[in-house]
Amino acid sequence: MNESAQAVPWLTRLSVERPGWVIAGTLAITLLFLTQFPRVQTDTDPKNMLPVTSTVRVSNDEVERWFALHKDVMVLGIVNDEGIFTQETLERIARITHTILKIPGVVVRDVTSLTTTDNVLAEDGQLVVRPAVAEIPRTPAAMVALKQTLLSNPLFVDRLLSKDGTTTAIYVPLEGGANATVIADRIKEVLAKEEGRERYYLAGDPVARDTFGVQMFYQMAILSPIAGLVMFVVLWWMFRSLTLVLAVMGVAMVSIIWSTGLLIGLGYPIHIMSSMSPIFLMAIATDSIHIFNEFGFRLREVRDKREAVLDTIAAVGGPVLYSDLATAIGFVALVTVAIVPVKIFGLLVGFGTLIILLMSFTLVPALLMLLNEERLLQETRSTDAAPSAWLSHLGEFSVRHPKSIGLAGCVLLVMAGVGLSRIEANNNLVHWFKPESDIRTADRVMNARLGGTATAYLVIQGSTEDVMKTPAMLHDIEGLQRELEKDPRVGKTFSVVDYVKRINRVLHQDDSAYDRIPDSVTEIAQDLFLFGMAAKPSDLDNVVDYPFQKANIFLQLKSWDAGVMADLLRRAEVYLRAHPLTGGATLRPAGIAYFNLVWNDEVLWGMLRSFLAGLVLVLILVIIQLRSLLWGILAFLPLFCTIAVIYGVVGLVGKDFDMPVAVLSTLSLGMAIDFAIHFVNRFRHHYAIEPDLEKALRWTVVRPGRGIVQNAVLFAVAFSVMVFASLTPYITVGVFIIGIMLLSAVLTLVGLPALIMIFHTRLPLSSEEMTR
Amino acid sequence: MKTWIVFCATVSLIGMATVGQPSAAVAVDATEIVQKSQAVFFEAGQDLKARIKMTLTTRDGQQRLRELTMLRNNYPAGEQKYFLYFHSPADVSGTTFMVYKYPNREDDRWLFIPALNLVQRVAARDSRSSFVGSDFSYEDVSGRDIEADTHRVVRTEALGSRQTVVIESVPTREADYAKKLSWIDQTTFLPLKDEYYDIQGALYKIFTADEIRDVQGWPTATRRTMTNVKTGHKTEVVYETVVYNVGLGDDIFTERALRRPPEKWLR
């Protein structure tokens, strides 16, 4: 006992001597952090992952100012399979448009629908400017004429109207700071009052983004407690002791409250990523299960509670310390990512992990001291036998077939390598919703019928003023548009060229021969001037800037995949190399689809880099802790294999490496190494006492192995709750965590004994090397 | 209360009538005040010739300049004819625009496009649309039918050094505003400020008469600004020269003149 007492830190000794004080003190500090909670602020906008000052946001803002564009635009699709050109449907479109205009937060002047957008056309020798649907035709003939007129205007087709005349769209720009969910709900109320055969689809980035934000907190608020409850039940089934269960849960709660309280206290908002921290900390807190597992064994051996606690901490203190440190390092490595919310998330969970570590040496021993010794002895005995038999078979198998296991491992790694080579980094906000969800359905339908719900801009920056009035430049732009339209995922492009061509045609009695760019600068200039006199000035402002030096090509894309934008930029680059722009003009991408591409690169690759950095740091930490390069590498291998296999599967099944998967990698890093650290440390400790390789391995698989299995199962069961979430990122997190935990437990318990058997001649195993 | 305000406004306006301003007269209700105001603002003199500089400024401070000569003649029964000749921007120089304005029915408009040597009739059903890309609508430039709104006096108040009567106009026909407040000078009847409110009840456009000069006895807003408070875009109109009663003949307001504008009126 004296020996053990010396081997444990003074804090633990204090906790064993004065458990009441420690528990009271912990509670007091927890309450202190709890007082910060009412000040909580949330930020659900994934855009804010990049700071307002980031290059892409500054650049996008600038482009939006140049061309008077709106940051956030919602799209309402109205579908009538029999065609929208019926009195009833047109009246409905007019009524819905009018009601939408009244919703606060909607930019009244720029709501674009068939009843608000001007059509410029030639009629009876006159140039006519009037809303596309100014009056609803009363006769079938007039209806047919209207349909023909609108479908013959390329400015409308695929943007406001589908080619088959069954679908129209209302574009609803939002004022800065307006909440898209609130506005979407108002629009849905409006739609609910309409009776008829029409179907309605609400899509667009702001809807997806704000809906996700709301859903996310909602899901976290429901799923975290359920996961907690499931853990509670599983823990009780494992230990049959309310105090033990409460201890694990208490550690989790304390770390969640301290870290979140600190975050709120420092004035940071809870972001998408930070909102996941409770469930992560709950998972990490299960590490203390190793203490309880070992305590159960010790108590039966020494039959003295106080001694058992000190012995336990002396035995598992090292592994607990280093495994928690490794976990913390994995998260703190996120600080290297240039993105503030990711840094905060990393620090938040890292801090929480250190709190868990502190609790393992203070609160946990203190709580153990409060246990009823007699009852505990009875309880622990009753749940003892079964898993041990199972584990000893497993240990036997690992020790008997090291070469086969090693070979299987190699095959697994090769297969994982194939998967890894196929992995694609891509973040698609719409895919964060389930396939049958309203948002994804809307997106699918609108993309099938119209030009596309994702918007990007390509800004052509000329070297001189008025260059956008020259035929040469307009031909360049037109050429680029046709080139980009070759990609089937580009549903629509339009630019100043389309307006010039339209005016030119209208001024020539709607003669289709004049549906082209005029040959002289003055003609173009006067066409544009006329357009400015006739139509809404902002229509022109959207595509060309005031000095006519910059032009803006609108792209409507049928997919939110970042890859589409990347492909388009490559296509544009190749095309422009062969067809350089007049006067050395340059191209600059902007818009939400481009933002997603940059976000994708910066956030995902940033997280990937920090993950690799974390891997190296963990390897170094393990080498230092085990004081041996080879031991370090061996302990690192199960983690490495787990990660390779998990991401190999991600690649093989074609799942994108998106934000949730990126976050997971960090967690897997910390968790998967835990098992190996426990395993190797306990094995070496035992081998030093009883230097028989096979026996020591079997013992390790059975005894600390039991803690490992318990930890993995507990973890997996708790996270299985997330499979029932309605947002796909949570489902992904749930499925992958289950996979990571079970796989790393198996790889540790099967792989490590095999590896130790294979390499034992080169491993420093002698007792003098092992003792500290 | 409302009657009392109207009474006060009326009394003060009757008082002003004796000062002998060209257009001051007895006004008994809001509609009549608006009518007076429109008469001074859009119909002063028998005819008018003005050299106008219009500056369009974006929120960012980018500018577009339009210089034009405006000729206007009044006809019986409230009809008017406008002739506009654009001097700049250079590439549209020579573009001309003619409007026959009729009370309570659609205007007739013609445009001459020199690059195409084409006179084009323009059926702009919509007089609320922007005037040459500016923040002013056609209605802001040539006036809106009195009957298209119901008017009421809201209050009288001082605006700077001027006493004004504030009139609220709510459209009964199509309009791009849901409500308009006008501050009308009690002495000159010139509108000194207009506020336009949109369908959500939010202020979006403000008109101000920034400089008022006496031109041949007619008080004339020689500098005026329309600011879109929502977009930050604004348009300033400066009358660099303005002369009334120059003796414009009807021959100027013809298709022939659109193609070959009479030199002497453009200088």
Side-chain angles (χ1 to χ4, degrees), chain A residues 264-379:
Chain A
I264 297 169
L266 292 175
Y268 290 105
I270 304 275
H271 198 269
I272 290 185
M273 296 196 71
S274 318
S275 79
M276 290 196 251
S277 67
I279 217 150
F280 277 47
L281 288 172
M282 241 189 276
I284 296 164
T286 56
D287 196 35
S288 52
I289 218 166
H290 294 281
I291 299 175
F292 300 119
N293 176 52
E294 186 60 22
F295 175 72
F297 284 107
R298 298 274 168 180
L299 189 61
R300 258 168 290 141
E301 284 162 18
V302 298
R303 312 199 74 78
D304 176 82
K305 194 168 65 179
R306 183 188 154 84
E307 200 174 336
V309 171
L310 290 173
D311 282 356
T312 301
I313 298 296
V316 300
V320 165
L321 173 69
Y322 282 95
S323 63
D324 281 349
L325 276 184
T327 306
I329 282 176
F331 283 99
V332 174
L334 288 174
V335 178
T336 57
V337 179
I339 296 144
V340 176
V342 178
K343 277 186 211 249
I344 290 175
F345 171 74
L347 288 172
L348 179 70
V349 182
F351 176 77
T353 307
L354 294 182
I355 299 304
I356 290 171
L357 179 59
L358 179 68
M359 290 304 127
S360 300
F361 287 93
T362 54
L363 186 64
V364 171
L367 286 170
L368 288 177
M369 288 306 291
L370 295 185
L371 291 175
N372 183 322
E373 209 171 279
E374 294 307 315
R375 250 183 58 196
L376 204 67
L377 274 168
Q378 284 172 353
E379 280 164 356

Side-chain angles (χ1 to χ4, degrees), chain A residues 296 412 453:
Chain A
L412 209 58
T453 53

Side-chain angles (χ1 to χ4, degrees), chain A residues 62 140 168 202 226 238 289 316 339 467 530 564 582 618 626 628 759:
Chain A
E62 196 173 41
T168 183
L202 207 50
I226 295 182
M238 283 175 175
I289 218 166
V316 300
I339 296 144
V467 68
L530 175 63
V564 175
T582 303
V618 165
L626 298 173
S628 153
F759 292 100

Side-chain angles (χ1 to χ4, degrees), chain B residues 215-227:
Chain B
V215 179
Q216 300 159 272
W218 282 280
T220 306
T222 49
R223 194 155 60 80
R224 37 184 96 168
T225 309
M226 186 71 88
T227 307

Side-chain angles (χ1 to χ4, degrees), chain A residues 101 103 127 469 526 530 546, chain B residues 91 111 115 121 123 200 231 233:
Chain A
L101 287 175
I103 300 174
L127 175 82
K469 294 174 182 169
Q526 290 175 15
L530 175 63
Y546 254 40
Chain B
D91 46 23
L111 184 78
R121 274 207 65 178
Q200 295 178 4
T231 63
H233 195 279

